[in-house]
Amino acid sequence: AEEAFPVLLPEHRKRPEALLEGKRISICGDLAADLSMTEFFVQIGIDELSVAPHQVLGLRKKIREIQ
């Protein structure tokens, strides 16, 4: 996943700082709907994935498989 989206790495490093400031981190759109990235997003602590209504069930299923 890191190889697919290297731009996420700097934000990943900022994650603890964001938590200390009480900020939530969300991803939306096509990137949030990419099921090959879901586990990575869960692992780095993304708070919210916002997807189109027709993609919600597939995303929920993928998250349940991870946890």
Side-chain angles (χ1 to χ4, degrees), residues 11-37:
E11 290 307 311
H12 176 225
R13 290 185 194 108
K14 293 179 185 176
R15 178 70 178 135
E17 295 169 17
L19 283 173
L20 292 174
E21 295 175 12
K23 295 181 180 175
R24 297 179 54 82
I25 298 177
S26 302
I27 296 178
C28 63
D30 291 338
L31 186 56
D34 183 346
L35 297 180
S36 70
M37 295 296 296

Side-chain angles (χ1 to χ4, degrees), residues 6-9 11 17-18 20-21 24 26-27 33-34 36 38-39 43 46 50 52 55 58 61-63 65:
V7 71
L8 291 176
L9 295 179
E11 290 307 311
E17 295 169 17
L20 292 174
E21 295 175 12
R24 297 179 54 82
S26 302
I27 296 178
D34 183 346
S36 70
T38 304
E39 186 169 359
Q43 289 173 347
I46 298 298
S50 177
Q55 296 169 315
K61 181 177 184 242
K62 180 69 174 180
I63 292 171
E65 291 171 359

Side-chain angles (χ1 to χ4, degrees), residues 43-66:
Q43 289 173 347
I44 65 171
I46 298 298
D47 296 301
E48 181 177 319
L49 298 171
S50 177
V51 299
H54 70 275
Q55 296 169 315
V56 171
L57 293 178
L59 181 60
R60 283 183 179 171
K61 181 177 184 242
K62 180 69 174 180
I63 292 171
R64 280 193 304 271
E65 291 171 359
I66 294 168

